[in-house]
């Protein structure tokens, strides 16, 4: 169980990076005035994101996506800080912790059969 959870979290981390990078490529093109060529690696990154989510250890897609949401939120705040240079504030951090706690409940909560 712990190994599967660790693998799933690694997959979620990689998926978050791929999704955020893909979306940022569109942001750079439309909002930052970069070349439309930014869209091509962005699309590839978004395809990688979708493929990576299929690698998550979950019985149902909806549960995998729901748990991923918490990881995505935390990863987005890291992107904000490390790539965009805007340090998250305490409310960002508190919100991310709440979301990660929710993701942990979804992933590791006991399931009745």
């Amino acid at each position: 169980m712990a190994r599967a959870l660790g693998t799933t979290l690694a997959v979620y981390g990689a998926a978050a990076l791929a999704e955020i990078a893909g979306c940022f490529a569109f942001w750079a093109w439309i909002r930052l005035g970069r070349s439309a060529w930014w869209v091509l690696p962005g699309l590839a990154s978004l395809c990688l994101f979708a493929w990576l989510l299929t690698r998550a250890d979950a019985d149902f897609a909806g549960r995998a996506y729901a748990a991923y949401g918490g990881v995505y939120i935390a990863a987005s705040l890291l992107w904000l800080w490390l790539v965009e240079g805007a340090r998250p504030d305490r409310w960002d951090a508190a919100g991310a912790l709440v979301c990660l706690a929710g993701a942990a409940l979804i992933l590791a909560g006991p399931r009745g059969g």
Side-chain angles (χ1 to χ4, degrees), residues 15-28 38-47 49 79:
L17 178 61
E19 183 180 15
I20 295 165
C23 290
F24 186 77
F26 280 82
W27 182 276
W38 276 64
V39 171
L40 293 177
L43 288 172
S45 189
L46 290 170
C47 288
F49 150 71
W79 180 278

Side-chain angles (χ1 to χ4, degrees), residues 2-3 20 24-26 37 40 47-48 50 57-58 62-63 65 68 73 75-76 85 96 99 102 106 108 111 113:
R3 180 181 161 120
I20 295 165
F24 186 77
F26 280 82
W37 289 104
L40 293 177
C47 288
L48 176 63
D57 185 29
R63 189 169 288 141
Y65 303 159
Y68 165 73
I73 289 167
S76 295
C99 293
I106 293 168
R111 303 280 179 239

Side-chain angles (χ1 to χ4, degrees), residues 17-110:
L17 178 61
E19 183 180 15
I20 295 165
C23 290
F24 186 77
F26 280 82
W27 182 276
W29 169 45
I30 294 169
R31 300 283 302 266
L32 301 178
R34 299 298 198 298
S35 165
W37 289 104
W38 276 64
V39 171
L40 293 177
L43 288 172
S45 189
L46 290 170
C47 288
L48 176 63
F49 150 71
W51 178 81
L52 283 165
L53 275 188
T54 69
R55 313 311 333 144
D57 185 29
D59 293 333
F60 300 97
R63 189 169 288 141
Y65 303 159
Y68 165 73
V71 175
Y72 174 80
I73 289 167
S76 295
L77 292 172
L78 283 173
W79 180 278
L80 170 73
W81 191 3
L82 300 175
V83 175
E84 297 183 83
R87 187 174 184 164
D89 63 24
R90 63 184 172 156
W91 298 107
D92 294 325
L97 287 174
V98 168
C99 293
L100 288 172
L105 283 173
I106 293 168
L107 283 176

